[in-house]
């Protein structure tokens, strides 16, 4: 398992001369792409099963790897494009650690701006999944979504 957040922050803190951006998700995704693709190729060559997680693995990139590596790479995406903003804030405040999203302790207006941004990113991911014929899961119940994702990724291809 590899969280791309840790890769991003490792490069940002450990090799600052690379200029990894941490406040522009699409630019960060572009910067991480060649590194992640190189890692995926190495995982496939070494016959390693690996789960890569994070919003920097965009559907376009997953589609290109699928084209190159075929059934050796399985991809899916999780988002929350369709949930009501107030409902998502309530769920996050209930289930997510505050240290992971420091803005959750902010007032409802600030939290709503952040959730709206994340919803718009999810909508982009959902649209891109449709374009590249990749599986997208709309998440309302995190536990159930995880079960669905595990089933999807582990079923025979």
């Amino acid at each position: 398992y590899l969280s791309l957040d840790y890769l991003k922050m490792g490069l940002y803190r450990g090799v600052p001369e690379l200029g990894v951006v941490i406040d522009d998700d699409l630019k960060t995704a572009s910067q991480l792409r060649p590194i992640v693709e190189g890692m995926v190729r190495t995982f496939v060559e070494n016959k390693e099963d690996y789960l890569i997680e994070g919003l920097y693995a965009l559907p376009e990139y997953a589609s290109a790897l699928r084209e190159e590596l075929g059934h050796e790479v399985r991809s899916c995406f999780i988002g929350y494009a369709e949930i009501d903003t107030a409902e998502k804030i309530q769920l996050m405040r209930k289930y997510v650690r505050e240290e992971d999203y420091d803005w959750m302790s902010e007032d409802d207006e600030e939290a709503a701006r952040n959730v709206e941004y994340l919803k718009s990113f999810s909508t982009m991911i959902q649209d891109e999944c449709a374009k590249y014929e990749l599986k997208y899961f709309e998440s309302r119940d995190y536990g159930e979504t995880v079960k669905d994702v595990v089933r999807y990724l582990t079923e025979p291809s």
Side-chain angles (χ1 to χ4, degrees), residues 69-91:
L69 301 169
H71 70 280
E72 297 294 329
V73 175
R74 298 193 68 177
S75 302
C76 67
F77 295 81
I78 304 169
Y80 47 90
E82 300 168 14
I83 194 169
D84 175 72
T85 299
E87 180 183 353
K88 184 63 180 175
I89 292 169
Q90 182 181 22
L91 287 169

Side-chain angles (χ1 to χ4, degrees), residues 17-123:
E17 59 271 20
L18 289 179
V20 173
V21 174
I22 62 169
D23 59 358
D24 181 336
D25 293 333
L26 292 176
K27 182 164 180 140
T28 304
S30 177
Q31 290 176 309
L32 295 181
R33 181 180 183 174
I35 298 163
V36 173
E37 287 180 347
M39 293 172 70
V40 169
R41 287 183 193 98
T42 304
F43 295 145
V44 170
E45 287 169 6
N46 290 307
K47 298 182 182 358
E48 293 283 338
D49 289 332
Y50 232 87
L51 176 67
I52 298 175
E53 174 276 326
L55 60 88
Y56 309 113
L58 300 177
E60 175 187 355
Y61 306 165
S63 178
L65 283 168
R66 181 183 62 187
E67 289 295 315
E68 177 186 339
L69 301 169
H71 70 280
E72 297 294 329
V73 175
R74 298 193 68 177
S75 302
C76 67
F77 295 81
I78 304 169
Y80 47 90
E82 300 168 14
I83 194 169
D84 175 72
T85 299
E87 180 183 353
K88 184 63 180 175
I89 292 169
Q90 182 181 22
L91 287 169
M92 290 181 82
R93 285 183 171 154
K94 184 175 180 181
Y95 294 111
V96 176
R97 297 179 327 177
E98 222 172 89
E99 57 267 24
D100 292 338
Y101 293 94
D102 59 350
W103 52 262
M104 285 194 328
S105 62
E106 301 292 329
D107 61 41
D108 287 346
E109 196 173 298
E110 179 66 19
R113 275 194 295 278
N114 283 288
V115 167
E116 283 297 322
Y117 166 75
L118 294 169
K119 283 178 57 175
S120 70
F121 200 90
S122 289
T123 299

Side-chain angles (χ1 to χ4, degrees), residues 6-18:
Y6 291 104
L7 176 62
K8 170 190 77 172
M9 292 309 295
L11 293 169
Y12 175 76
R13 290 181 172 145
V15 196
E17 59 271 20
L18 289 179

